[in-house]
Amino acid sequence: MSAPVIFSGIQPTGRKHLGNYIGAIRQYVEAQERGEPAIFCIVDLHAISVAYDPAELRERLYDTTAILLAAGLDPQRCVLFRQSDVREHAELTWLLSAVTAHGDLNRMHQFKDKSAKQRELVSAALFFYPVLMAADVLAYKAEEVPVGDDQRQHVELMREIARRFNERFGETLVEPEHRIPTVGARIMDLQEPERKMSTTGATEAGTIYVLDEPGAIRKKLGSAVTDSGREVRRGGDKPGVTNLIDVLAVTRGVDPPAIEAEFAGAGYGDFKAAVAEGVVELLAPVRERYAELRPDEAALEAVLAAGAEKARAIAAPTLAEARDHMGIGAPRK
Ligand code: ATP
Ligand code: MG
């Protein structure tokens, strides 16, 4: 099999956290070795679907760019760009809306969750988010989409949209496959382990940020909610401990059962201390490198501009093809 086109997007909202790092960013770094090309997009157009501050959005965009570079994305080996720089995403969104079922959008869990949290306005953008996400991926004819578990439904929908488009207008788009990690696909909030760690909807004390200092990481993990009982084992009745086992397994590069075996008979205190050290070691190099990269905004802009040029060169022909097959614009020569 030839090397796959790989695409994924990440929002420049808030501060990126351990869930993003484990579920997504870690996979991106690995995808660079396999993708031909591997394309990563900082999705500022998605970020405007909830309440936000324009000046802060720009700051967060640089933060996110620097985090991705610090984590190991190499602009020589991947395409890293800002979504809004490639106008094709917005245009393709509208074209795809013609083959997107309103009823399907109505079923999206993320819309239900996030709309319930909006205090002032539930924007149409929040409802339409999955169509823009479909355009992001389909514009590149990507075959593989590395994401966390929460994006499963959105990837299923983009497959459906591609299928409908091809049926209606002739073979044009590629149905992508999601790539969800086997361990760490859904890192939970440390204080409320029934819900996922999240940029916008989690507790502050239950969220470990990629840029947290070691002291903060140790403190948050030390006060992580555990469950009744004393055993370090996974189970539906032990969401807190199960989450911590997954986190430690990822940081050590082993399977969760190996962690259960190692900590059989140990108390929660020793176990949590080990998780904290694992996370500190995982994130410290990223934080240090970030501190070097973040101040040079001109350099970050240069990376994004070069990435956008490469991205446009791939997306523009797909758009031309989609327009042509749909009968939009002058006929192609
Ligand atoms: P929001 O809650 O505002 O949607 P987010 O934390 O989900 O923010 P995104 O930028 O939307 O952040 O997601 C980037 C990537 O991180 C996606 O691939 C998503 O699936 C993944 N991801 C998000 N939260 C987690 C989590 N708790 N565990 C594992 N992966 C996650
Ligand atoms: Mg999200």
Side-chain angles (χ1 to χ4, degrees), residues 11 20 110 114 129 150-151 196 198-200:
Q11 295 198 73
N20 299 136
Q110 178 171 295
K114 289 193 178 177
Y129 184 114
D150 60 312
Q151 294 304 315
K196 87 167 183 90
S198 146
T199 312
T200 45

Side-chain angles (χ1 to χ4, degrees), residues 207-227:
T207 306
I208 292 178
Y209 298 103
V210 175
L211 301 177
D212 272 348
E213 300 281 338
I217 293 174
R218 292 193 183 101
K219 187 160 172 244
K220 288 176 189 172
L221 277 160
S223 57
V225 168
T226 40
D227 316 283

Side-chain angles (χ1 to χ4, degrees), residues 133 147-157 178 180-181 185:
M133 186 170 157
V147 282
D149 180 66
D150 60 312
Q151 294 304 315
R152 198 179 283 274
Q153 197 185 25
H154 287 160
V155 177
E156 199 40 61
L157 178 67
H178 60 60
I180 297 176

Side-chain angles (χ1 to χ4, degrees), residues 36-182:
E36 200 59 72
I39 308 167
F40 304 106
C41 179
I42 303 174
V43 293
D44 54 345
L45 296 178
H46 282 280
I48 65 173
S49 59
V50 294
Y52 78 101
D53 175 70
E56 195 184 321
L57 178 59
R58 288 223 169 85
E59 292 300 313
R60 297 307 191 194
L61 195 127
Y62 292 138
D63 295 351
T64 309
T65 308
I67 285 180
L68 292 175
L69 294 172
L73 287 192
D74 172 0
Q76 302 305 321
R77 289 189 299 157
C78 70
V79 179
L80 174 62
F81 71 106
R82 171 170 45 208
Q83 184 185 34
S84 61
D85 286 345
V86 180
R87 308 282 171 101
E88 280 78 1
H89 292 234
E91 185 178 350
L92 186 58
T93 300
W94 186 249
L95 300 185
L96 295 180
S97 73
V99 290
T100 304
H102 180 273
D104 286 345
L105 292 179
N106 247 333
R107 275 191 284 280
M108 295 294 119
H109 306 306
Q110 178 171 295
F111 175 70
K112 288 180 195 159
D113 294 347
K114 289 193 178 177
S115 58
K117 281 184 206 130
Q118 297 308 305
R119 288 199 204 97
E120 286 175 7
L121 173 78
V122 176
S123 67
L126 192 56
F127 185 71
F128 232 63
Y129 184 114
V131 191
L132 177 57
M133 186 170 157
D136 294 338
V137 175
L138 300 180
Y140 299 90
K141 302 193 176 180
E143 292 152 290
E144 198 182 296
V145 188
V147 282
D149 180 66
D150 60 312
Q151 294 304 315
R152 198 179 283 274
Q153 197 185 25
H154 287 160
V155 177
E156 199 40 61
L157 178 67
M158 66 179 73
R159 290 170 60 85
E160 178 66 23
I161 291 173
R163 220 161 20 229
R164 272 223 205 92
F165 189 101
N166 291 344
E167 262 168 36
R168 172 77 178 80
F169 300 113
E171 205 59 30
T172 313
L173 302 172
V174 171
E175 271 182 58
E177 308 267 356
H178 60 60
R179 190 179 174 97
I180 297 176
T182 43

Side-chain angles (χ1 to χ4, degrees), residues 294-308:
R294 177 63 180 84
D296 193 348
E297 293 183 354
L300 298 175
E301 276 296 351
V303 165
L304 295 171

Side-chain angles (χ1 to χ4, degrees), residues 86 88 139-140 311-323 332:
V86 180
E88 280 78 1
Y140 299 90
R312 214 174 289 122
I314 307 171
T318 310
L319 235 294
E321 212 184 324
R323 286 171 55 109
R332 283 207 295 178

